[in-house]
Amino acid sequence: MEAQNSTKSTTREEGPSSPSKVACTETRKVQVAVNHGQGYIWDVRDVWHLWRNCRMVGCLVGSLPRHPHQSCTLGLPLRLLPEEVTLLVEEGLGETVRYKEMEEKPSQTLKDTFSECRERCYKEQVQEAAIQRREQVKRMADKILEGKRKKFLIKQKEKNEEVNGSETNGSVEEEFTLTREDVIQEEEAKLQPLPQHLQIVEVFTRHPLLDQLTTERCPWPYPTTQEERVRYKVFCDLWHQGHYLTSGIKFGGNFLVYAGDPHLYHAHAIVRCVREQQLRQGGEVDLVAATRVAASTKKTFVLASLDNDGQVRYRSYHWFEEVEEEEEENMDENDEEL
């Protein structure tokens, strides 16, 4: 295992595989709804804005209306990291708000609004289904008319045979007076409204009741502890260098660092934020384990801390197998002998 140290000040000049230094390309403010100490985005337009223009990724945590009993594909809201919320507020890219009704039981007014929205959606679907059915009837009217004509002729032929005892030579087509318009009217009269249990569940791209909620400005105290301050300082430092960052808890770190959009790229570094006192206390076993996890997932393990001057200091660790190095040396010696 090999360690590489580098001290980085807040002048944002270098970092782990730093891409071009990019800030948010737009100054549009987004509303971050605070609930139980977490920041959420309820508008898909704000989500898209954060992804594309601000390099804020977050994590979708909402269930899908038609598939609520699964966790592979999730929807709104988007939950942001605490560091992302603080950075949005400090950079003037967003504001934290609280919706009073989200912390209380739904009022009767909200219930009525929800019921009206569901009923309106159902009526719109009934009308649209009827329009589509009428268009389908008009397209099939000629075939339906031809089928009715054939059935009429067969019935008339059978009736004449029963009455006269023999097949009638005369034509009965003149007795068939049904027209295309008559067919359309008959079929439209048979149309039944769409059953309510078959209506399509509308997937909103914005919380439909936000306009009905009471918005209050909400203070955002993060960071409050020394550990949180270190994490936030490291997050800001990497973000200002142009990196994308997500939670690294699945890999034993605080952040995963991406050179590009996480929806298109794999992370290349696992960053764990520690204090200088923790570095001096050792923890070699834990360090070896974390480095091996990073190596097995083709990532670099990075320890980030703050020095006495408040500058961000990075230490990257790489895993090397001595056996493999010895084998390579033996192979080189054999090649030289040959």
Side-chain angles (χ1 to χ4, degrees):
M1 183 175 63
E2 179 179 317
Q4 296 179 351
N5 298 340
S6 64
T7 301
K8 215 220 46 75
S9 64
T10 53
T11 52
R12 307 166 190 163
E13 295 180 350
E14 18 174 310
S17 302
S18 173
S20 58
K21 309 172 188 62
V22 183
C24 182
T25 57
E26 293 186 15
T27 57
R28 169 188 173 186
K29 271 195 174 184
V30 300
Q31 282 193 341
V32 183
V34 179
N35 193 14
H36 298 291
Q38 298 285 345
Y40 299 92
I41 303 295
W42 287 94
D43 192 332
V44 72
R45 293 169 296 184
D46 290 340
V47 172
W48 185 250
H49 168 68
L50 293 179
W51 283 354
R52 293 297 301 270
N53 302 316
C54 300
R55 287 176 285 108
M56 300 287 183
V57 182
C59 177
L60 292 170
V61 295
S63 62
L64 299 181
R66 296 301 292 267
H67 304 282
H69 302 294
Q70 55 85 35
S71 58
C72 297
T73 304
L74 299 175
L76 291 176
L78 179 79
R79 184 177 63 199
L80 298 176
L81 294 174
E83 293 81 10
E84 291 177 321
V85 178
T86 304
L87 186 60
L88 285 175
V89 174
E90 290 190 353
E91 293 288 332
L93 303 174
E95 58 181 357
T96 54
V97 298
R98 178 188 291 115
Y99 298 109
K100 181 181 178 182
E101 290 79 1
M102 284 190 175
E103 300 178 358
E104 303 173 350
K105 290 184 178 181
S107 63
Q108 189 59 42
T109 303
L110 283 179
K111 291 180 180 179
D112 294 340
T113 304
F114 174 81
S115 299
E116 291 174 3
C117 180
R118 178 64 62 87
E119 184 65 24
R120 183 174 64 254
C121 179
Y122 170 66
K123 290 180 179 179
E124 291 175 355
Q125 292 184 43
V126 169
Q127 295 176 358
E128 186 63 27
I131 292 174
Q132 293 181 4
R133 179 57 181 162
R134 291 190 185 97
E135 292 178 353
Q136 185 180 10
V137 168
K138 291 179 181 179
R139 291 195 299 267
M140 301 293 294
D142 293 333
K143 291 184 179 181
I144 295 174
L145 180 63
E146 181 62 21
K148 289 181 176 292
R149 188 185 70 81
K150 290 181 178 180
K151 288 182 180 180
F152 176 80
L153 294 179
I154 292 174
K155 288 182 179 181
Q156 286 297 104
K157 181 179 179 181
E158 293 176 351
K159 183 178 180 181
N160 291 336
E161 288 178 355
E162 291 177 359
V163 173
N164 301 326
S166 60
E167 185 176 347
T168 303
N169 295 327
S171 174
V172 294
E173 290 192 12
E174 295 180 358
E175 300 178 10
F176 183 76
T177 58
L178 194 65
T179 63
R180 185 175 185 274
E181 288 70 21
D182 296 332
V183 171
I184 293 176
Q185 291 180 2
E186 287 182 5
E187 294 299 322
E188 288 183 351
K190 297 178 184 178
L191 296 180
Q192 298 294 327
L194 178 73
Q196 194 161 5
H197 69 278
L198 294 180
Q199 68 170 313
I200 300 174
V201 178
E202 185 175 2
V203 180
F204 295 97
T205 57
R206 181 179 182 270
H207 195 297
L209 303 180
L210 284 184
D211 296 334
Q212 307 291 330
L213 303 180
T214 304
T215 304
E216 300 176 349
R217 294 296 298 272
C218 176
W220 182 255
Y222 187 92
T224 56
T225 65
Q226 183 61 28
E227 289 79 6
E228 291 176 350
R229 294 188 185 94
V230 173
R231 289 202 299 268
Y232 178 64
K233 195 74 176 288
V234 172
F235 182 91
C236 290
D237 186 68
L238 294 173
W239 184 83
H240 280 106
Q241 294 180 48
H243 294 287
Y244 287 79
L245 293 100
T246 63
S247 174
I249 190 172
K250 291 184 179 179
F251 296 88
N254 295 112
F255 307 114
L256 293 180
V257 182
Y258 300 79
D261 189 343
H263 301 95
L264 303 175
Y265 295 87
H266 289 289
H268 64 271
I270 303 171
V271 177
R272 181 184 295 179
C273 304
V274 295
R275 291 182 295 174
E276 284 293 327
Q277 296 86 338
Q278 294 174 294
L279 290 176
R280 291 192 291 267
Q281 289 174 359
E284 290 80 4
V285 175
D286 184 48
L287 181 60
V288 170
T291 305
R292 295 200 67 174
V293 169
S296 64
T297 55
K298 298 182 180 179
K299 297 174 177 58
T300 300
F301 181 71
V302 179
L303 284 180
S305 61
L306 300 181
D307 59 17
N308 295 330
D309 298 328
Q311 297 178 344
V312 180
R313 183 180 179 87
Y314 298 104
R315 295 173 176 84
S316 60
Y317 296 85
H318 304 270
W319 186 266
F320 293 95
E321 294 286 349
E322 295 182 0
V323 176
E324 294 181 359
E325 293 180 357
E326 293 177 358
E327 291 179 355
E328 291 179 359
E329 292 178 358
N330 294 332
M331 292 177 62
D332 294 338
E333 293 177 357
N334 294 333
D335 291 339
E336 290 178 0
E337 292 177 359
L338 294 174

